[in-house]
């Protein structure tokens, strides 16, 4: 699994990196806020109209026009390729509203496989499954639905999670392809100016507000001819074949990255403590940049790291942050850094080797000489161990006193 491939498939930033586009976004921002407020008001009426009118071509046409006012424009390609006898549509997943967009073009039902149930599930246009939990029970329920006459086709997303739709497709799960022998692939491409289509861990409600904020979001729907499973072909081979068809239609790459890989990458990215720069600048400047660019937990660790830095100025911030991520305690980190003083100095030396100069942010001043030397070398291992423990205790007491004096604490508070 390539981390670079995962990074390309998802947008972890809502706003663009390009300075020109970012400037345009700043100019557009007040307009976008006003547009969002107006569209929220109109959106309520769209919801009421869609609930009041029965399922028909007239209802879909009216709602589609009203959705265009909300900034959600729909364009379709090869509409005549849509097979009315097909009971199962397979589509790639880009946004939280893909099923609503397909439903504007043709009647279809999308089951809610995870997430909210009840009113929220119904209001979002999902079909609630009342069967027991478990993939087998869900599969049997959907299989019965597909075999029932008069029901609209099912719309499923075999990727099981969203991507940015620009780099590649997640690996298709095989179980949706076991529902029927024939399926119709639907290729979906979504474009939006200024801001990203979606970000991981963002709720559907937040995505809806950003959709109202954006100037427009254009959905391009392309209908591919129906595909049937061949004799001797396994479900996973059938799924891979459909994945290749959709990837070719969209001009994307068919990957082996799964929904679980995406979740693991997000989790790892959330808990990663970024390394501080080794360029010549005060430690407080590096910390300020780090605090502004991190989440709540990382900001807390960065502030704790600065407090430890005040006590041990010779220790690099990245070494302190790495230990704080494990201990989550200032006193424990100070103790660890004092007890592993040689290892810490070695890591600091290695870091400075790759810097532009010897005077990096953590070595801007001389290291404090607080290490008390032993009066004589112990003759026995017990004497030498005792001498080491005494020096550790002296170093720890010095660090504690310095921390208390720095923050104006009472001696009793420091214990």
């Amino acid at each position: 699994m390539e981390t670079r491939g995962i990074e390309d498939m998802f947008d972890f930033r809502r706003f663009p990196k390009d300075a020109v586009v970012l400037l345009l976004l700043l100019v557009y921002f007040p307009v976008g806020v006003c547009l969002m407020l107006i569209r929220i008001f109109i959106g309520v009426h769209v919801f009421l109209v869609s609930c009041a009118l029965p399922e028909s071509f007239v209802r879909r046409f009216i709602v589609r026009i009203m959705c265009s006012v909300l900034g959600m424009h729909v364009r379709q390609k090869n509409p005549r390729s849509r097979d009315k006898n097909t009971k199962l549509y397979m589509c790639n997943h880009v946004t939280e509203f893909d099923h609503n967009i397909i439903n504007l073009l043709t009647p279809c039902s999308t089951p809610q496989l995870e997430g909210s149930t009840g009113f929220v599930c119904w209001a979002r246009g999902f079909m609630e499954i009342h069967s027991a939990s478990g993939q087998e029970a869900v599969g049997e329920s959907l299989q019965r639905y597909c075999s029932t006459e008069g029901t609209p086709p099912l719309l499923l997303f075999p990727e099981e999670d969203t991507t940015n739709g620009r780099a590649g497709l997640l690996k298709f799960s095989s179980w949706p392809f076991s529902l029927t022998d024939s399926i119709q692939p639907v290729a979906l491409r979504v474009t939006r100016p200024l801001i990203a289509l979606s970000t991981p861990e963002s709720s559907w409600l937040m995505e809806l507000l950003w959709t109202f904020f954006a100037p427009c979001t254009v959905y391009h729907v392309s209908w591919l001819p129906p595909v049937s499973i061949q004799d001797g072909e396994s479900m996973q081979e059938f799924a891979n074949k459909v994945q290749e068809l959709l990837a070719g239609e969209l001009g994307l790459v068919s990957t082996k990255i799964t929904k679980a890989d995406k979740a693991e990458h997000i989790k790892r990215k959330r808990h990663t403590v970024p390394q501080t720069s080794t360029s010549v600048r005060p430690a407080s400047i590096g910390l300020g940049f780090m605090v502004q660019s991190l989440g709540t937990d990382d900001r807390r660790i960065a502030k704790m790291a600065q407090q430890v830095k005040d006590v041990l100025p010779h220790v690099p911030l990245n070494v302190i942050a790495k230990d704080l991520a494990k201990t989550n305690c200032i006193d424990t980190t100070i103790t660890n850094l004092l007890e592993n003083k040689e290892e810490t100095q070695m890591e600091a030396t290695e870091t400075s080797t790759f810097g532009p100069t010897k005077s990096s942010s953590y070595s801007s001043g001389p290291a404090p000489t607080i290490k008390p030397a032993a009066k004589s070398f112990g003759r026995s291992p017990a004497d030498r161990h005792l001498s080491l423990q005494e020096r550790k205790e002296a170093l720890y007491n010095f660090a504690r006193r310095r921390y208390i004096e720095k923050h104006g604490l009472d001696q009793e508070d420091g214990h």
Side-chain angles (χ1 to χ4, degrees), residues 73-244:
H73 303 274
V74 186
R75 300 174 183 174
Q76 64 174 333
K77 179 183 177 182
N78 303 326
R80 294 185 178 181
S81 298
R82 187 170 68 244
D83 187 359
K84 297 181 179 180
N85 297 322
T86 302
K87 299 291 290 185
L88 185 59
Y89 299 147
M90 292 292 181
C91 183
N92 59 300
H93 207 1
V94 184
T95 72
E96 295 287 344
F97 315 106
D98 296 343
H99 63 288
N100 303 109
I101 297 300
I102 304 297
N103 205 16
L104 292 177
L105 303 176
T106 182
C108 59
S109 300
T110 303
Q112 175 75 307
L113 301 178
E114 59 182 29
S116 304
T117 58
F119 175 77
V120 176
C121 175
W122 171 80
R124 293 186 60 194
F126 285 110
M127 178 182 69
E128 188 171 356
I129 302 177
H130 298 284
S131 61
S133 59
Q135 188 169 300
E136 290 186 5
V138 172
E140 292 176 359
S141 177
L142 295 180
Q143 210 164 22
R144 288 193 301 269
Y145 176 90
C146 290
S147 60
T148 304
E149 293 292 335
T151 56
L154 271 181
L155 172 65
L156 296 180
F157 303 98
E159 289 180 287
E160 299 182 330
D161 212 335
T162 59
T163 66
N164 58 21
R166 296 194 306 270
L169 301 179
L170 294 175
K171 182 179 179 181
F172 280 15
S173 180
S174 60
W175 73 265
F177 295 86
S178 63
L179 302 180
T180 61
D181 294 333
S182 178
I183 63 100
Q184 178 148 30
V186 183
L188 180 64
R189 183 168 56 90
V190 188
T191 57
R192 176 189 293 170
L194 299 181
I195 59 175
L197 291 170
S198 63
T199 56
E201 299 184 305
S202 179
S203 66
W204 69 269
L205 188 58
M206 186 62 65
E207 294 297 341
L208 181 63
L209 294 178
W210 282 114
T211 301
F212 290 165
F213 171 86
C216 63
T217 304
V218 184
Y219 291 80
H220 305 264
V221 181
S222 180
W223 299 91
L224 278 66
V227 182
S228 299
I229 188 170
Q230 302 297 320
D231 294 336
E233 191 175 34
S234 67
M235 292 301 170
Q236 189 59 60
E237 291 173 342
F238 186 34
N240 293 341
K241 180 172 69 176
V242 176
Q243 183 179 3
E244 291 289 346

Side-chain angles (χ1 to χ4, degrees), residues 11 15 40 43 49 149 154 156 185 201 229-230 233 251 258 270 284 306 312 325 328 341 352 378 393 404 413:
D11 292 322
F15 304 115
I40 290 174
V49 169
E149 293 292 335
L154 271 181
L156 296 180
E201 299 184 305
I229 188 170
Q230 302 297 320
E233 191 175 34
T258 64
R270 189 194 310 132
S284 59
Q306 183 59 45
L312 303 175
N328 199 28
K341 194 166 186 290
S352 63
E393 185 67 25
I404 292 173
D413 296 337

Side-chain angles (χ1 to χ4, degrees), residues 252-294:
L252 305 178
V253 178
S254 181
T255 73
K256 299 296 183 182
I257 301 172
T258 64
K259 174 186 176 181
D261 294 331
K262 175 185 176 181
E264 179 63 27
H265 182 70
I266 293 172
K267 181 180 179 182
R268 185 167 59 248
K269 197 175 183 68
R270 189 194 310 132
H271 289 88
T272 298
V273 179
Q275 304 293 316
T276 56
S277 174
T278 56
S279 59
V280 183
R281 64 179 180 181
S284 59
I285 299 178
L287 181 73
F289 173 79
M290 190 164 59
V291 168
Q292 292 176 3
S293 60
L294 299 181

Side-chain angles (χ1 to χ4, degrees), residues 45-66:
H45 292 77
V46 174
F47 176 73
L48 295 176
V49 169
S50 63
C51 293
L53 297 178
E55 173 58 43
S56 62
F57 172 78
V58 176
R59 173 185 178 272
R60 291 196 301 274
F61 178 77
I62 294 176
V63 175
R64 182 175 175 180
I65 297 299
M66 297 182 75

